[in-house]
């Protein structure tokens, strides 16, 4: 800092020597102009992202029973109030001055295809992992935009700001005409109709949303506006309706939809029906006695559910061998180690080798870990010890019986899988722990619907009675499995938790762990969350184990 100040002083001194009448007004004008441009750019980013959020809210409203109660002009825009209590703003673009401070903001809009609305950028579909991005879905991701501080180019993100892609357009335009600077995507709001309001986007797209009044029909469906169903399965949803005199239902081919006495029943087509539409939109048109109308839409999709059972009769993978142990793998049981601690498959004299399995030709799930197993991994097991309260003779601790659970596999099966490993503030400060993961070997993102989980004997004994590392669970103790989803670029897309206990009550049965809220993933990693009483000063003291079985994947 001292060098910079000194240099500036020399420059100013030089200027003073050259002319006693130096006028610094041009310098200040330049600095003020720069500040104005920076403020304009920052305002443009804020305006654009606000309007994107509003646009998504309007799109979501189109597919629900929500109506608009009022649209109020505010300074430089509008405030919109919805019948569900939410509100949003439309902000007009700032004015350009002499064509010099236009911001060339990218034109974000939506377009309809196959009954769904998709995001567009400058008239072209926005893509994520090669697929168009839905704007009309409960799990839809609104794009974000920013200006790169270095390149000064507009950038967009379609993964909640994890990654950014340049549009190739410099934010500070040189030919922006006076008037709107391009940071508002809305061209107009028409409130002249008594029954609906029309929002017009800059590309001419119109979104028409019903106004609310006491005679407007309502049809509030208890559940999401996007529904996935296994082929041939049925779901029944509760509906709260009012002012409905007539209704008509349009549905995709092969689907069955019925509404009666406040219950909406939807049945997906049979998997054998080759003429059925796998996905589409259910549109319910409602009309009141005074001819007020409303359309409610549901996105639906059908899928096949494939399950990894770890049972020998379900093995469809090609035979292979774990050469380091001299073991041929033809069935799932071949992956069960001959000893729960120090065995040839998972420890192999403590050499570094790769234990792996692949549910080929079924779920396509794959897992591998580097031996020895104490570093974490997923090992196939069929060990059962019903009494987890007393350590069997001949063992130094339950860690030597780490592959055992007190019950057999889910649904009375034989085999299951044991997870080991965690990452927290303490161990990550010492080394780089790798969270054990499930991946899709073919690289395709899919929805993992659910899995069944339970505690191991090691975890149960430690949690209930304590051990050399861990104290017994208390009434407020909590340890949970954390499933973390990643996309093909290895960006996190979400996480979901499932508790292994409620205070002193620990899970001893198979429980369903719903993973579908993660959406499509390329990989799922598993970690733990725990309360402070389970921290012994060296991080998590509870054994980092759980058992899982019957993993179901949507195809």
């Amino acid at each position: 800092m001292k060098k910079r100040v000194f240099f500036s002083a020399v420059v100013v001194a030089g200027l003073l020597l050259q002319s006693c009448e130096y006028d610094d007004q041009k310098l200040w004008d330049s600095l003020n102009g720069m500040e104005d441009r920076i403020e304009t750019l920052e305002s443009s980013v804020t305006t654009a992202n606000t309007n994107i959020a509003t646009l998504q809210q309007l799109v979501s409203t189109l597919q629900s029973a929500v109506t608009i109660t009022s649209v109020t002009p505010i300074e430089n825009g509008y405030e919109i109030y919805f019948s569900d209590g939410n509100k949003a703003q439309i902000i007009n673009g700032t004015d350009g001055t002499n064509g010099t401070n236009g911001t060339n903001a990218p034109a974000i809009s939506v377009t309809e295809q196959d009954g769904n609305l998709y995001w567009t950028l400058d008239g072209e579909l926005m893509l994520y992992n090669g697929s168009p991005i839905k704007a009309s879905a409960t799990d839809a991701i609104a794009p974000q935009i920013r200006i790169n501080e270095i390149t000064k180019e507009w950038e967009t993100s379609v993964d909640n700001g994890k990654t950014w892609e340049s549009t190739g357009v410099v934010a500070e335009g040189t030919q922006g005409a006076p008037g709107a600077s391009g940071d508002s995507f809305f061209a107009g709001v028409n409130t002249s109709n008594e029954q609906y309001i029309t929002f017009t986007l800059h590309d001419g797209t119109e979104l028409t949303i019903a106004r609310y009044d006491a005679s407007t029909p309502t049809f509030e469906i208890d559940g999401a506006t996007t529904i996935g169903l296994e082929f041939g399965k049925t779901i029944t949803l509760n509906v709260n309706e009012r002012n409905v005199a007539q209704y008509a239902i349009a549905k995709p081919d092969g689907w069955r939809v019925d509404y009666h006495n406040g219950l909406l029943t939807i049945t997906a087509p049979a998997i054998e029906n080759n003429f059925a539409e796998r996905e589409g939109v259910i549109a319910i048109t409602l009309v009141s006695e005074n001819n007020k109308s409303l359309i409610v839409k549901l996105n639906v999709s059908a899928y096949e559910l494939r399950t990894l059972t770890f049972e020998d009769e379900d093995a469809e993978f090609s035979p292979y061998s774990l050469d380091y142990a001299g073991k041929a793998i033809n069935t799932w049981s071949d992956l069960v180690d001959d000893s729960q601690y120090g065995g040839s498959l998972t420890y192999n004299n403590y050499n570094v080798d790769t234990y792996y399995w692949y549910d080929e030709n079924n779920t396509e799930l794959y897992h591998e870990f580097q031996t020895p197993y104490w570093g974490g991994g997923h090992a196939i097991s069929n060990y059962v010890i019903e009494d987890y309260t007393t350590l069997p003779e001949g063992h130094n601790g339950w860690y030597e019986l780490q592959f055992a659970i007190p019950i057999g596999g889910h649904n009375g099966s034989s085999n299951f899988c044991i997870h080991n490993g965690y990452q927290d503030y303490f161990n990550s400060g010492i080394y780089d722990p790798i969270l054990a993961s499930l991946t899709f070997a073919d690289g395709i993102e899919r929805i993992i619907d659910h899995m069944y989980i339970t505690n191991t004997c090691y975890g149960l004994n430690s949690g209930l009675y304590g051990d050399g590392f861990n104290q017994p669970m208390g009434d407020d103790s909590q340890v949970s499995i954390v499933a973390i989803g990643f996309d093909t670029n290895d960006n996190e897309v979400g996480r979901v938790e499932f508790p292994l206990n409620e205070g002193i009550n620990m899970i001893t049965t198979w429980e369903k762990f719903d993973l579908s809220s993660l959406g499509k993933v390329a990989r799922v990693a598993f970690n733990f969350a725990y309360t402070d009483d389970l921290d012994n000063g060296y991080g998590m003291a509870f054994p980092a184990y759980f058992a899982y079985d019957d993993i179901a994947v949507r195809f």
Side-chain angles (χ1 to χ4, degrees):
M1 293 299 294
K2 290 183 178 179
K3 289 183 178 179
R4 180 177 296 177
V5 172
F6 176 77
F7 176 75
S8 298
V10 171
V11 172
V12 173
L15 291 173
L16 291 173
L17 289 173
Q18 291 178 27
S19 173
C20 294
E21 298 180 357
Y22 170 68
D23 183 2
D24 64 356
Q25 187 60 46
K26 289 185 178 180
L27 175 61
W28 287 111
D29 287 345
S30 176
L31 291 174
N32 289 332
M34 183 180 298
E35 290 179 357
D36 290 343
R37 288 195 295 274
I38 292 173
E39 184 177 346
T40 298
L41 294 174
E42 291 176 345
S43 175
S44 184
V45 172
T46 301
T47 296
N49 284 315
T50 297
N51 285 334
I52 290 173
T54 298
L55 179 53
Q56 184 175 44
Q57 192 164 352
L58 292 174
V59 169
S60 298
T61 301
L62 283 171
Q63 292 203 272
S64 68
V66 176
T67 54
I68 292 178
T69 57
S70 67
V71 175
T72 305
I74 59 174
E75 184 181 359
N76 205 31
Y78 296 89
E79 194 152 60
I80 309 163
Y81 293 86
F82 298 92
S83 61
D84 62 357
N86 289 318
K87 66 179 181 179
Q89 285 187 345
I90 291 176
I91 302 176
N92 295 329
T94 55
D95 290 342
T97 302
N98 298 325
T100 61
N101 69 339
T103 58
N104 295 334
I108 305 289
S109 186
V110 293
T111 187
E112 184 173 3
Q113 291 187 8
D114 304 323
N116 290 297
L117 290 171
Y118 296 87
W119 291 106
T120 64
L121 172 64
D122 295 330
E124 300 292 330
L125 285 170
M126 298 185 74
L127 304 179
Y128 180 61
N129 289 336
S131 300
I133 307 169
K134 283 185 179 180
S136 54
T138 53
D139 58 348
I141 298 176
Q144 296 173 289
I145 65 175
R146 73 177 185 185
I147 298 171
N148 187 292
E149 293 182 357
I150 298 175
T151 66
K152 305 303 179 185
E153 293 180 346
W154 283 101
E155 295 180 334
T156 61
S157 173
V158 293
D159 56 7
N160 291 321
K162 296 183 180 69
T163 60
W164 294 87
E165 182 176 347
S166 174
T167 63
V169 177
V170 177
E172 192 172 350
T174 57
Q175 295 181 349
S181 65
D183 50 18
S184 177
F185 310 135
F186 293 89
V189 180
N190 186 342
T191 61
S192 62
N193 192 287
E194 293 182 357
Q195 296 192 32
Y196 54 82
I197 296 172
T198 300
F199 300 87
T200 303
L201 307 183
H202 266 298
D203 63 358
T205 300
E206 292 186 346
L207 305 177
T208 300
I209 300 176
R211 286 180 181 269
Y212 172 81
D213 67 39
S215 62
T216 300
T218 62
F219 198 81
E220 299 171 353
I221 301 172
D222 183 16
T225 56
T226 299
I227 296 173
L229 272 180
E230 187 179 356
F231 281 110
K233 298 294 184 180
T234 298
I235 187 173
T236 300
L237 304 171
N238 293 316
V239 176
N240 180 21
E241 67 152 79
R242 188 174 67 249
N243 298 330
V244 176
Q246 303 176 59
Y247 67 88
I249 299 175
K251 58 182 180 58
D253 289 343
W255 292 73
R256 296 200 306 273
V257 183
D258 178 67
Y259 176 66
H260 188 67
N261 291 336
L263 296 176
L264 181 67
T265 303
I266 303 171
T267 303
I271 193 170
E272 300 83 9
N273 187 349
N274 296 324
F275 300 100
E277 293 181 87
R278 186 162 187 158
E279 62 180 22
V281 176
I282 295 173
I284 306 170
T285 303
L286 310 150
V287 182
S288 65
E289 290 285 358
N290 58 354
N291 290 325
K292 293 287 184 70
S293 62
L294 176 70
I295 298 177
V296 176
K297 295 182 179 181
L298 287 171
N299 291 294
V300 291
S301 60
Y303 56 81
E304 175 190 359
L305 206 59
R306 299 183 188 176
T307 303
L308 168 52
T309 67
F310 300 111
E311 296 306 301
D312 293 344
E313 58 269 24
D314 297 328
E316 297 187 27
F317 56 79
S318 303
Y320 64 102
S321 64
L322 297 178
D323 294 335
Y324 63 87
K327 185 66 177 288
I329 308 299
N330 298 295
T331 66
W332 289 106
S333 293
D334 292 334
L335 286 158
V336 179
D337 210 344
D338 51 13
S339 175
Q340 296 193 58
Y341 187 82
S344 60
L345 291 181
T346 54
Y347 287 84
N348 191 37
N349 295 321
Y350 306 100
N351 293 319
V352 177
D353 294 295
T354 302
Y355 173 105
Y356 71 95
W357 51 260
Y358 173 29
D359 189 28
E360 186 181 17
N361 300 316
N362 187 31
T363 64
E364 298 299 322
L365 286 171
Y366 174 88
H367 174 74
E368 67 175 37
F369 68 85
Q370 298 298 308
T371 63
Y373 183 67
W374 63 40
H378 293 176
I380 310 303
S381 176
N382 58 15
Y383 289 97
V384 175
I385 300 176
E386 294 182 2
D387 182 8
Y388 52 84
T389 64
T390 304
L391 181 67
E393 292 184 4
H395 296 281
N396 297 311
W398 278 100
Y399 67 90
E400 293 185 350
L401 300 169
Q402 59 188 335
F403 293 153
I405 62 175
I407 52 179
H410 179 245
N411 277 336
S413 63
S414 298
N415 298 335
F416 44 89
C417 195
I418 301 292
H419 165 95
N420 173 34
Y422 73 105
Q423 182 184 74
D424 70 1
Y425 75 94
F426 186 81
N427 68 359
S428 61
I430 301 174
Y431 61 100
D432 186 19
I434 299 174
L435 294 178
S437 301
L438 296 172
T439 62
F440 288 108
D442 57 6
I444 298 175
E445 293 182 351
R446 297 184 178 92
I447 295 176
I448 300 179
D449 192 84
H450 65 268
M451 66 195 314
Y452 287 87
I453 60 94
T454 193
N455 276 298
T456 65
C457 292
Y458 185 13
L460 288 167
N461 188 273
S462 176
L464 293 175
Y465 307 110
D467 54 32
F469 299 96
N470 187 41
Q471 65 178 4
M473 294 282 187
D475 291 337
D476 297 322
S477 299
Q478 182 78 72
V479 60
S480 299
I481 304 168
V482 182
I484 310 165
F486 297 86
D487 61 19
T488 51
N489 295 318
D490 218 33
N491 297 311
E492 182 179 331
V493 297
R495 54 179 62 201
V496 60
E497 297 187 11
F498 194 94
L500 288 172
N501 74 299
E502 291 294 339
I504 62 174
N505 299 308
M506 301 191 66
I507 292 174
T508 57
T509 56
W510 287 105
E511 301 294 332
K512 186 177 181 179
F513 185 7
D514 189 343
L515 300 173
S516 61
S517 63
L518 295 176
K520 289 186 176 181
V521 296
R523 177 172 74 92
V524 174
F526 296 92
N527 201 7
F528 291 86
Y530 56 93
T531 50
D532 290 342
D533 62 306
L534 300 179
D535 184 339
N536 61 6
Y538 300 94
M540 187 174 76
F542 180 81
Y545 293 80
F546 67 88
Y548 67 87
D549 200 0
D550 289 349
I551 317 168
V553 178
R554 298 182 187 180
F555 279 78

